[in-house]
């Protein structure tokens, strides 16, 4: 990337399309078209390990925090109106999506998110300078730290922004859970009288309706929807105003109370000042809790998608998943259950993210957790993946699948376990086992043996072996 040149490079730092910024480590030449500054440039060089940038949801939430802070500082007279207005206007422009390419820091970074905070501070400051008719880098007028970051620290801005980003995604995910639940319930009603063979431990069991199976799927997702909906409450407390370690150093007390009110209005979220900001500054168990609920959802959709793949497979053929794409480059006509396969992989990724979040939260020390960038990247990825996956799962798999009633009936008619279990109340467990053994697992011979032994008369036997008789329709 050639948008900036660290001074140790042999390249010419005086190129006309560059501006020079300096700090105590030296000078950096930055492309005049870019709005980030020297701290962002150094962070890019230090953490240039992948193409994975900080999630846009976190950046936008952080910009919203900066906007609220500028408004609050202006109201309590710690920031003059002209600078505050320029900062607010810059934040609005960023939130419109015009300047996304200026946020270049890697998702995984040292410093507990300081690089991300500085990236945001510098872009806002330089854009505000342009709005004020000045050149980027003219920090004597609007400074990334003295003005944009006034009364703040990475350690209260970053957690607050992450909570806002999580709440927005939690709400969207809860809506998708509700829609998936409704789709499963529609299938429950559609397949109400499609009787099929139940299975336990992958072996034949008693009859069940396909509708009842989808009803159970819907119940599981309903629990996920409710848990995810309720967890927003755990995210609403924020430590904004606590600054470095939660004690509020360098923050105007009036600003601290005013900024919470403003950010509540800007976000439309019922945020509240933490009763003990030191706690939220150093402890991240709330994100572990949220991630745990996401893992629960991942477990359920993985189980459902696995059941659908098996029922759709050749030996079972009890349902048909809509054909989505060709399944083989060598076997013509082969079609694979690609949507449930994708769902399974997303579920595994969410579970892996949950492990990362748990380890990071446990690895914090004293007044701060240095590993919040991985917590943020993992939890926002899980929320986004699940939100998008549930939509695709619903529209391209659940809504489009159909039942194969003929195949369901075939499996029922050939089930030895079903016949034997139905006989137990009338001839006892041991006698039923003996007849099954004598029949050599041939369903037709079971009937013959019972009738030949005069154990049950024909009409009663027909009633007993009618598998509809064994099902309780809910």
């Amino acid at each position: 990337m050639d948008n900036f040149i660290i001074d140790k490079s042999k390249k010419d730092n005086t190129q006309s399309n560059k501006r020079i910024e300096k700090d105590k480590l030296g000078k950096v030449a930055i492309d005049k078209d870019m709005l980030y500054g020297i701290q962002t440039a150094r962070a890019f060089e230090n953490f240039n390990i992948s193409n994975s940038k900080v999630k846009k949801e976190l950046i936008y939430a952080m910009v919203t925090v900066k906007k609220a802070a500028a408004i609050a500082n202006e109201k309590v007279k710690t920031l003059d109106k002209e600078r505050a207005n320029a900062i607010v206007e810059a934040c609005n422009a960023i939130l419109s999506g015009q300047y996304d390419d200026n946020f270049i820091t890697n998702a995984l970074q040292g410093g507990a998110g300081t690089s991300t905070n500085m990236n945001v501070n510098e872009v806002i400051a330089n854009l505000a300078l342009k709005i004020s008719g000045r050149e980027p880098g003219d920090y004597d007028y609007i400074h990334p730290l003295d003005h944009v970051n006034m009364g703040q620290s990475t350690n209260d801005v970053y957690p607050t922004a992450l909570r806002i980003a999580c709440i927005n995604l939690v709400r969207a995910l809860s809506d998708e859970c509700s829609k998936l639940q409704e789709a499963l319930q529609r299938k429950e009603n559609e397949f109400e009288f499609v009787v099929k063979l139940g299975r336990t431990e992958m072996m034949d069991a008693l009859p069940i309706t396909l509708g009842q199976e989808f009803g159970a799927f819907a119940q599981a997702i309903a629990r996920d929807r409710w848990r995810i909906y309720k967890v927003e409450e755990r995210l609403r407390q924020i430590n904004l105003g606590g600054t470095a370690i939660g004690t509020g150093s360098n923050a105007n007390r009036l600003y601290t109370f005013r900024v919470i009110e403003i950010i509540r209005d800007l976000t439309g979220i019922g945020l509240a000042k933490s009763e003990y900001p030191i706690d939220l500054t150093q402890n991240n168990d709330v994100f572990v809790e949220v991630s745990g609920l996401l893992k629960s959802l991942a477990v359920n959709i993985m189980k459902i998608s696995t059941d659908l793949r098996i029922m759709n497979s050749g030996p079972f053929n009890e349902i048909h998943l809509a054909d989505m794409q060709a399944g083989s480059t060598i076997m013509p006509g082969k079609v694979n259950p690609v949507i449930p396969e994708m769902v399974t992989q997303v579920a595994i990724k969410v579970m892996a993210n949950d492990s990362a979040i748990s380890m990071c939260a446990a690895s914090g020390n004293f007044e701060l957790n240095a590993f919040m960038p991985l917590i943020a990247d993992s939890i926002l990825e899980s929320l986004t993946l699940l939100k998008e996956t549930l939509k695709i799962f619903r529209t391209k798999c659940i809504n489009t699948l159909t039942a194969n009633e003929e195949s369901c009936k075939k499996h029922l008619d050939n089930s030895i376990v079903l016949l034997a279990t139905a006989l137990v109340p009338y001839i006892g467990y041991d006698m039923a086992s003996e007849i099954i053994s004598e029949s050599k697992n041939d369903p037709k011979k079971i009937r013959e043996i019972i009738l030949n032994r005069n154990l049950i008369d024909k009409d009663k036997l027909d009633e007993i072996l009618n598998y509809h008789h064994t099902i309780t329709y809910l």
Side-chain angles (χ1 to χ4, degrees), residues 185-331:
Q185 288 171 332
R186 286 193 294 271
K187 290 299 177 181
E188 176 185 8
N189 294 330
E190 181 182 343
F191 302 146
E192 181 180 4
F193 299 111
V194 179
V195 183
K196 67 180 290 291
L197 194 60
R199 295 182 178 85
T200 57
E201 300 181 65
M202 297 297 288
M203 304 297 288
D204 291 0
L206 296 175
I208 191 171
T209 69
L210 189 58
Q212 287 170 333
E213 288 187 326
F214 275 84
F217 296 159
Q219 289 296 314
I221 299 301
R223 287 193 296 276
D224 289 315
R225 180 195 63 79
W226 180 244
R227 286 187 289 239
I228 290 168
Y229 172 78
K230 291 294 289 182
V231 82
E232 177 184 324
E233 297 175 4
R234 311 289 283 173
L235 292 162
R236 287 180 186 163
Q237 283 201 2
I238 57 176
N239 66 334
L240 192 60
T243 67
I245 61 171
T247 58
S249 296
N250 290 14
N252 181 291
R253 185 170 176 80
L254 293 176
Y255 154 84
T256 299
F257 289 96
R258 185 61 66 89
V259 74
I260 301 292
E261 297 172 1
I262 294 168
I263 200 161
R264 187 186 300 127
D265 291 339
L266 291 178
T267 61
I269 299 170
L271 301 168
K273 183 179 184 295
S274 171
E275 295 178 0
Y276 209 83
I278 296 170
D279 166 33
L280 296 193
T281 306
Q282 62 178 247
N283 296 318
N284 287 280
D285 54 283
V286 169
F287 299 114
V288 178
E289 181 180 0
V290 175
S291 180
L293 299 184
L294 301 183
K295 181 177 70 173
S296 295
L297 172 58
V299 166
N300 281 333
I301 61 173
M302 183 171 174
K303 194 271 182 184
I304 294 169
S305 62
T306 299
D307 283 354
L308 296 181
R309 285 194 301 120
I310 293 172
M311 285 192 284
N312 179 74
S313 67
F316 293 90
N317 195 27
E318 293 170 335
I319 63 170
H320 176 70
L321 301 178
D323 296 346
M324 302 307 300
Q325 62 188 62
S328 174
T329 58
I330 191 173
M331 294 174 281

Side-chain angles (χ1 to χ4, degrees), residues 222-461:
R223 287 193 296 276
D224 289 315
R225 180 195 63 79
W226 180 244
R227 286 187 289 239
I228 290 168
Y229 172 78
K230 291 294 289 182
V231 82
E232 177 184 324
E233 297 175 4
R234 311 289 283 173
L235 292 162
R236 287 180 186 163
Q237 283 201 2
I238 57 176
N239 66 334
L240 192 60
T243 67
I245 61 171
T247 58
S249 296
N250 290 14
N252 181 291
R253 185 170 176 80
L254 293 176
Y255 154 84
T256 299
F257 289 96
R258 185 61 66 89
V259 74
I260 301 292
E261 297 172 1
I262 294 168
I263 200 161
R264 187 186 300 127
D265 291 339
L266 291 178
T267 61
I269 299 170
L271 301 168
K273 183 179 184 295
S274 171
E275 295 178 0
Y276 209 83
I278 296 170
D279 166 33
L280 296 193
T281 306
Q282 62 178 247
N283 296 318
N284 287 280
D285 54 283
V286 169
F287 299 114
V288 178
E289 181 180 0
V290 175
S291 180
L293 299 184
L294 301 183
K295 181 177 70 173
S296 295
L297 172 58
V299 166
N300 281 333
I301 61 173
M302 183 171 174
K303 194 271 182 184
I304 294 169
S305 62
T306 299
D307 283 354
L308 296 181
R309 285 194 301 120
I310 293 172
M311 285 192 284
N312 179 74
S313 67
F316 293 90
N317 195 27
E318 293 170 335
I319 63 170
H320 176 70
L321 301 178
D323 296 346
M324 302 307 300
Q325 62 188 62
S328 174
T329 58
I330 191 173
M331 294 174 281
K334 188 174 189 290
V335 177
N336 297 322
V338 293
I339 302 301
E341 288 171 349
M342 178 271 294
V343 171
T344 297
Q345 291 173 85
V346 167
I348 292 169
K349 177 62 175 172
V350 170
M351 295 176 201
N353 282 348
D354 180 67
S355 294
I357 292 165
S358 300
M359 292 178 67
C360 286
S363 298
N365 304 116
F366 300 109
E367 276 62 64
L368 185 65
N369 190 311
F371 310 106
M372 279 205 75
L374 180 52
I375 293 175
D377 191 60
S378 297
I379 198 166
L380 294 177
E381 179 182 47
S382 291
L383 283 162
T384 302
L385 281 174
L386 286 170
K387 175 175 68 75
E388 297 302 322
T389 296
L390 261 58
K391 180 179 180 180
I392 291 173
F393 192 32
R394 168 174 54 87
T395 57
K396 295 192 174 185
C397 182
I398 302 302
N399 287 349
T400 56
L401 65 84
T402 56
N404 188 339
E405 296 188 47
E406 183 179 343
S407 184
C408 290
K409 184 178 184 305
K410 175 184 173 183
H411 290 305
L412 283 166
D413 291 340
N414 292 328
S415 174
I416 297 296
V417 171
L418 170 58
L419 298 177
T421 304
L423 292 169
V424 168
Y426 302 94
I427 62 176
Y429 190 99
D430 290 340
M431 179 61 73
S433 297
E434 179 183 325
I435 291 173
I436 293 300
S437 178
E438 184 178 339
S439 73
K440 301 186 184 302
N441 293 328
D442 184 341
K444 294 180 180 178
K445 288 187 177 180
I446 291 175
R447 178 182 292 272
E448 294 175 4
I449 293 168
I450 291 173
L451 293 175
N452 289 339
R453 292 191 183 186
N454 294 318
L455 296 173
I456 303 173
D457 66 60
K458 183 178 181 303
D459 290 341
K460 184 64 177 178
L461 184 60

